[in-house]
Amino acid sequence: MPEQVAATPAAPGRSKPLALALALAITLGITVYPHALAGPGGGADHWAAVAAFWAMSAGYVAGVGFRPRRLAFRLLFSGGACIVALGLALARMAWLWR
């Protein structure tokens, strides 16, 4: 009878307060002023929204200290990804409103 090997749990990560604070700020900002993700004509800008929500998601995942097992997800939801996605969202919104 083969023995069952327990999967080794991923090493716990450290929480990142800056990433969590950014995620909370993005959440509150989009909730209070959703028109920030719209173009001058009033239509939704999906690229700005995707970048902002990616930054928010990465901030929450990294902020609470969760560390995904797969490398691709670790890169997509890291603190650095939060900053990069926020920069992309801000650049897109600045380009829309120029």
Side-chain angles (χ1 to χ4, degrees):
M1 182 174 208
E3 291 183 34
Q4 290 185 355
V5 179
T8 57
R14 292 184 8 225
S15 63
K16 297 181 173 129
L18 179 61
L20 188 58
L22 280 173
L24 288 170
I26 293 168
T27 302
L28 290 174
I30 292 172
T31 301
V32 171
Y33 190 64
H35 297 292
L37 297 176
D45 182 54
H46 294 97
W47 290 110
V50 165
F53 292 134
W54 173 30
M56 183 180 66
S57 300
Y60 279 125
V61 170
V64 298
F66 181 73
R67 186 170 164 86
R69 290 186 183 186
R70 296 184 187 252
L71 178 63
F73 291 124
R74 259 186 273 155
L75 294 175
L76 281 173
F77 296 113
S78 66
C82 177
I83 299 295
V84 168
L86 182 62
L88 288 173
L90 291 175
R92 177 67 183 190
M93 287 187 283
W95 182 78
L96 283 174
W97 290 97
R98 62 181 169 105

